[in-house]
Amino acid sequence: MTYTKTPVTLAEVTPLCQKFDMDQLLASIFVRRGITKSSNLLYYLEDDIRFEHSPFLFSGMEDAVERILAAIEEGEKVLIFGDRDVDGITSTAILYRQLKNMGLDASWRLPLAEEAYGLSMEAVDDFAKENGTLIITVDCGISNAPEIAYAAKLGIDVIVTDHHNPPEVIPDAVAIIDPKCPDSGYPFDGISGAAVAYKLVSALRFSSSDFFNTEICLMDIQENTNDQCFYITCTKIRNLTKRRSITEKIIPGITSISETRLPDFLSGQYIYVWDNTTTTALFHQLFGKGIEIGFIDLRKEVQQFWPTFGQKKAADLPAISKSARYSEIPENQIITESLFNLFVTYVNVLSARKNKNLETLRDNDLQLVGIAALADIMPMTNENRLFVNSALKAIKTKGPVTGLAELFAKLSLDYHYITSKDLGWTVIPALNASGRLGQSNLSLELLISEMPKERDEISTKIIDLNEMRKTLVNEAAMKTSSQVQESLESFDGKLCVVLNEEIHKGVTGILANKIMNTYQVPSLAITENDGIYAGSMRSCRGIVATDFLKDFGDFFIAYGGHNAAAGFSFTKDKLPQFMQKAKELSARFELQDKNAENIVDAEIPANYITPDLLRIIDMFEPYGNGNDELLFVSQNLPVCDGMIVGKKEPYHLKLTFDCGKYKFPAMFWSAGDKWNKEVKLGSRVNVLFSVNKNIYNGNITTQMFIKEMEVNKN
């Protein structure tokens, strides 16, 4: 049994325990995982969606909102162009519902049958014939510079919302909202296309607020008794994002206001302060009563919603601000940061009180955003954790949104106990099936239809398509099985390429993924239609899929995707060149070690193996890309019960360990042959394991899943 447990010191663990009131076990896990910055810990310790990033951090967001508002005012026709996968379908549904709610003449279009990914010339032409004037792409568009230029010639503006890696030539669009663009302004580039669409929708909803595009200034005056001076900090805010800050040192009786940047900075602003009376008195003390500035008392505004704040001073705010707790700014700026976070919360609550449906609309969107994050294998870090957890919470407490509700019923899922694994293994493949088989419109219609009977009929069709998809995947695997070993040998074990003209185009991605997971090498699956080869790539071990394809130069008709997944197409006559180029490029691969030792998060003594471990397990949920399942090691556990389970080979081994106060159940898959041979009653074993919930008939129990085990001989 081999594993690595990174040593941690008390000096590393103690600050986390003290600042965040956590026990040493949890703190040591965070340290081993390198999650020690407050801004990263936030997304594990908090699940409130208010900690998501502002949509207006996108540099193109204001332009996009203004253009859509103009379309509403002018009664323009708007087309939402999406993609056929779950991310594209949910993106389209989220934006379509919002535009319709705002009264826009909005329609949608997705690639059907053998149509290529991304905005097409044909789609632009068809929309032009309808006298359309604005196209909004979702989950695509960043690679469609020619199509967007063509649309402009026809008098059609295009807003791009996407999350794919940008090519060298960026489209000349009215606005581009893509977190992977270098100048996006957004602090996290790992969100899905649906999350980008949700950000646009959130910004559109905020546009009805009195604070939209309003210049706000937060001002705070703090005395520094050591230097016998005062510091005035001012922060400009627009659309709930900080745009600029200044801090001026004021020496009473010496510094005049004209010697500072304050007059220019404060001009034309709504100026909010905490405690107008005290601030005004201080301001007059520093600059004289002849200087009159109209302050708005934020404390009085906030007091409407949270009465206890009425007695608080500005200096009290950092101690009661959750956001300040996770702030990494200098100590002398913490009060200003607390004021900013409180102002943002106040405006959001004010907006929610004015629009009673806002929370419901947001929760409905987040169900789809969470599903898209899992479907597109987004990193389970940063705000993606908020999206998935918010989706699960909304589903469990309020039930699945219309469309999902019918699908849940057909899949016999109890939404009260839904997990991210359930979504990944059942709901997402079903939603994906329609797009893979050329009928992406079905899943979208399921999510946006207002007729229960229609949704029920569509959900039945989707279940049938999913069964067909499973058959096609099995057939594709059989048709290409003989090629796998030959390809691995041809590419020196660094790449696998399979090609069969009978493979359904919609399952090339699934097939490539199966091969990659089995052999742990970047894999490509290719099929043919009408003289065009189309393929999917799934990558691993440090190889970036889009970088690999980019190195082919102008070889492809089209290509695009993410670091781990991409698609491409080329003419049939180029196949020999493709294989030769793939061999040259893969020869330069430096694959990360696929047999790396197990990285253990903590060693757990027997008497600490209790159901309380679920508290820690749940804190790190959802697991996934960038956030592997917690792995523990325990030594010398006594086996007090065991049995072989399973209906067919390979059988499994079910054990029970005597952990003192608790008898802890464990499953060891495909290890039934070890019982009464290697391990028996009374054996003491060392185990590498994860811990999971077992839910059956509404009862939740805790269970180990053994990854490796060795029997102590002594």
Side-chain angles (χ1 to χ4, degrees):
M1 190 171 76
T2 58
Y3 63 90
T4 296
K5 187 182 73 167
T6 305
V8 298
T9 65
L10 200 59
E12 294 173 296
V13 170
T14 301
L16 299 188
C17 295
Q18 292 175 343
K19 183 174 182 179
F20 299 104
D21 192 27
M22 65 176 69
D23 57 46
Q24 289 190 348
L25 173 59
L26 179 58
S28 67
I29 293 173
F30 279 125
V31 170
R32 285 195 176 94
R33 291 203 163 198
I35 306 168
T36 55
K37 290 180 63 176
S38 297
S39 57
N40 292 332
L41 281 163
L42 183 157
Y43 297 101
Y44 292 85
L45 301 180
E46 305 291 343
D47 60 4
D48 195 321
I49 195 63
R50 72 186 176 92
F51 291 107
E52 67 172 320
H53 303 303
S54 168
F56 288 100
L57 289 172
F58 277 109
S59 56
M61 187 60 76
E62 285 187 11
D63 289 338
V65 171
E66 293 284 8
R67 181 62 185 87
I68 293 170
L69 293 179
I72 295 172
E73 188 174 335
E74 297 298 325
E76 299 179 55
K77 284 181 177 289
V78 179
L79 172 68
I80 304 168
F81 193 96
D83 188 26
R84 57 167 55 89
D85 65 0
V86 168
D87 194 17
I89 290 163
T90 52
S91 303
T92 307
I94 290 167
L95 185 55
Y96 177 78
R97 291 190 308 212
Q98 176 61 24
L99 296 187
K100 296 297 285 187
N101 286 340
M102 295 177 77
L104 256 174
D105 183 1
S107 59
W108 53 266
R109 180 163 176 165
L110 306 174
L112 296 176
E114 297 299 324
E115 291 179 349
Y117 164 83
L119 183 64
S120 64
M121 298 291 189
E122 181 184 5
V124 173
D125 277 331
D126 290 345
F127 189 52
K129 292 173 185 175
E130 298 173 8
N131 298 315
T133 50
L134 176 62
I135 296 174
I136 307 173
T137 69
V138 291
D139 193 32
C140 64
I142 198 64
S143 298
N144 290 123
E147 291 81 4
I148 290 171
Y150 179 63
K153 288 181 180 179
L154 298 181
I156 300 173
D157 288 338
V158 179
I159 295 171
V160 173
T161 77
D162 202 349
H163 73 130
H164 291 94
N165 295 338
E168 292 182 5
V169 179
I170 304 296
D172 185 13
V174 168
I176 293 178
I177 306 172
D178 185 336
K180 289 192 174 68
C181 286
D183 59 349
S184 76
Y186 204 69
F188 178 53
D189 69 358
I191 57 176
S192 67
V196 177
Y198 161 73
K199 294 294 179 179
L200 175 57
V201 164
S202 299
L204 286 168
R205 287 174 184 150
F206 184 73
S207 70
S208 65
S209 164
D210 293 337
F211 292 92
F212 177 63
N213 280 354
T214 301
E215 300 291 340
I216 303 289
C217 180
L218 287 178
M219 192 178 85
D220 177 52
I221 306 177
Q222 294 295 320
E223 183 177 8
N224 187 311
T225 54
N226 293 330
D227 294 343
Q228 296 183 332
C229 68
F230 288 81
Y231 287 94
I232 299 180
T233 300
C234 300
T235 302
K236 281 190 177 181
I237 302 170
R238 181 181 168 93
N239 295 329
L240 302 188
T241 60
K242 288 183 282 189
R243 300 303 171 96
R244 187 182 165 210
S245 292
I246 62 168
T247 298
E248 293 289 298
K249 180 179 179 180
I250 310 298
I251 301 175
I254 297 177
T255 308
S256 70
I257 194 169
S258 61
E259 296 174 316
T260 71
R261 294 170 289 175
L262 293 174
D264 288 339
F265 196 87
L266 297 176
S267 177
Q269 312 287 304
Y270 289 98
I271 306 167
Y272 281 79
V273 298
W274 190 262
D275 184 1
N276 180 32
T277 302
T278 302
T279 304
T280 300
L282 268 176
F283 204 79
H284 287 162
Q285 176 187 332
L286 295 174
F287 302 118
K289 292 186 178 180
I291 306 295
E292 287 294 336
I293 296 181
F295 296 131
I296 302 172
D297 196 331
L298 180 58
R299 185 168 70 173
K300 284 186 178 179
E301 299 293 322
V302 166
Q303 192 177 353
Q304 301 174 57
F305 303 127
W306 306 288
T308 57
F309 278 85
Q311 305 303 317
K312 302 295 183 183
K313 298 178 181 178
D316 299 328
L317 298 180
I320 56 179
S321 169
K322 274 193 173 183
S323 297
R325 185 187 189 195
Y326 298 103
S327 176
E328 294 168 345
I329 64 173
E331 189 68 28
N332 62 353
Q333 298 176 26
I334 197 70
I335 292 177
T336 306
E337 181 71 10
S338 299
L339 283 171
F340 169 72
N341 290 321
L342 188 56
F343 178 78
V344 170
T345 302
Y346 156 71
V347 172
N348 285 331
V349 170
L350 190 66
S351 299
R353 297 263 176 117
K354 287 184 177 180
N355 183 352
K356 300 297 183 182
N357 293 325
L358 194 60
E359 184 178 339
T360 299
L361 293 171
R362 185 197 66 193
D363 286 348
N364 289 345
D365 290 342
L366 286 170
Q367 290 192 29
L368 301 186
V369 173
I371 285 173
L374 295 168
D376 241 36
I377 320 177
M378 295 294 98
M380 284 300 107
T381 57
N382 208 281
E383 64 181 345
N384 281 334
R385 300 183 56 76
L386 300 180
F387 295 149
V388 176
N389 281 322
S390 295
L392 292 171
K393 182 179 179 181
I395 292 171
K396 289 176 183 178
T397 58
K398 300 178 181 179
V401 69
T402 52
L404 287 184
E406 287 78 7
L407 197 58
F408 271 54
K410 291 289 191 300
L411 293 168
S412 301
L413 288 175
D414 185 345
Y415 66 82
H416 295 96
Y417 301 101
I418 197 71
T419 66
S420 57
K421 284 187 177 179
D422 294 328
L423 294 176
W425 284 97
T426 56
V427 178
I428 289 169
L431 283 173
N432 247 337
S434 65
R436 294 189 185 282
L437 301 186
Q439 301 180 56
S440 52
N441 57 306
L442 283 178
S443 288
L444 178 55
E445 288 167 357
L446 174 70
L447 297 177
I448 63 176
S449 172
E450 298 179 358
M451 295 178 286
K453 183 178 179 181
E454 182 181 39
R455 293 196 302 268
D456 185 71
E457 292 172 351
I458 293 173
S459 62
T460 299
K461 292 178 182 177
I462 287 174
I463 296 298
D464 291 341
L465 285 172
N466 194 35
E467 292 303 313
M468 187 185 303
R469 186 266 309 171
K470 293 176 184 177
T471 300
L472 290 171
V473 171
N474 291 334
E475 290 176 352
M478 290 178 60
K479 288 174 180 176
T480 58
S481 60
S482 62
Q483 298 180 35
V484 174
Q485 288 301 330
E486 295 175 6
S487 181
L488 287 170
E489 292 176 10
S490 174
F491 290 99
D492 295 326
K494 293 184 173 183
L495 185 73
C496 184
V497 180
V498 296
L499 185 152
N500 188 294
E501 297 178 359
E502 296 179 6
I503 297 175
H504 192 286
K505 180 181 177 181
V507 301
T508 56
I510 302 175
L511 178 59
N513 196 62
K514 285 172 72 74
I515 297 170
M516 182 202 71
N517 285 330
T518 301
Y519 297 97
Q520 284 299 295
V521 296
S523 300
L524 294 83
I526 304 171
T527 188
E528 184 266 344
N529 183 63
D530 290 337
I532 302 296
Y533 278 125
S536 298
M537 179 176 182
R538 297 295 181 266
S539 196
C540 61
R541 297 172 65 184
I543 303 302
V544 176
T546 49
D547 285 352
F548 171 74
L549 297 177
K550 182 173 69 174
D551 286 342
F552 278 79
D554 58 359
F555 181 90
F556 296 113
I557 298 171
Y559 80 91
H562 311 294
N563 292 358
F568 56 90
S569 60
F570 57 91
T571 56
K572 190 173 183 178
D573 60 295
K574 290 185 175 180
L575 180 61
Q577 295 170 254
F578 173 83
M579 298 301 286
Q580 181 59 38
K581 186 69 174 179
K583 187 168 291 189
E584 293 172 6
L585 293 174
S586 63
R588 302 200 294 264
F589 282 177
E590 294 183 6
L591 300 179
Q592 297 173 356
D593 185 8
K594 69 177 179 180
N595 296 314
E597 290 182 320
N598 296 306
I599 308 298
V600 166
D601 290 290
E603 182 168 347
I604 313 291
N607 58 329
Y608 281 87
I609 301 177
T610 72
D612 190 51
L613 280 177
L614 273 184
R615 174 183 59 85
I616 295 176
I617 300 300
D618 287 344
M619 190 168 291
F620 282 85
E621 285 276 8
Y623 296 100
N625 179 17
N627 184 46
D628 293 336
E629 197 170 39
L630 291 179
L631 184 65
F632 302 115
V633 63
S634 286
Q635 311 282 352
N636 210 33
L637 296 183
V639 177
C640 61
D641 197 8
M643 61 186 297
I644 298 171
V645 296
K647 296 180 179 179
K648 61 180 182 179
E649 292 185 349
Y651 298 113
H652 315 300
L653 178 57
K654 185 174 183 179
L655 298 173
T656 303
F657 296 122
D658 185 350
C659 298
K661 186 177 179 181
Y662 291 96
K663 303 295 186 289
F664 216 90
M667 285 295 300
F668 196 178
W669 303 114
S670 304
D673 59 341
K674 297 181 183 294
W675 184 239
N676 282 330
K677 294 176 183 175
E678 296 179 33
V679 61
K680 59 187 70 174
L681 283 178
S683 294
R684 287 181 172 268
V685 299
N686 305 327
V687 291
L688 285 173
F689 66 95
S690 59
V691 176
N692 281 282
K693 296 176 186 176
N694 184 27
I695 302 174
Y696 184 72
N697 287 337
N699 296 315
I700 301 175
T701 56
T702 312
Q703 185 172 237
M704 273 188 196
F705 286 98
I706 298 173
K707 185 173 184 179
E708 289 187 24
M709 180 176 71
E710 65 181 13
V711 180
N712 291 340
K713 301 301 181 183
N714 297 333

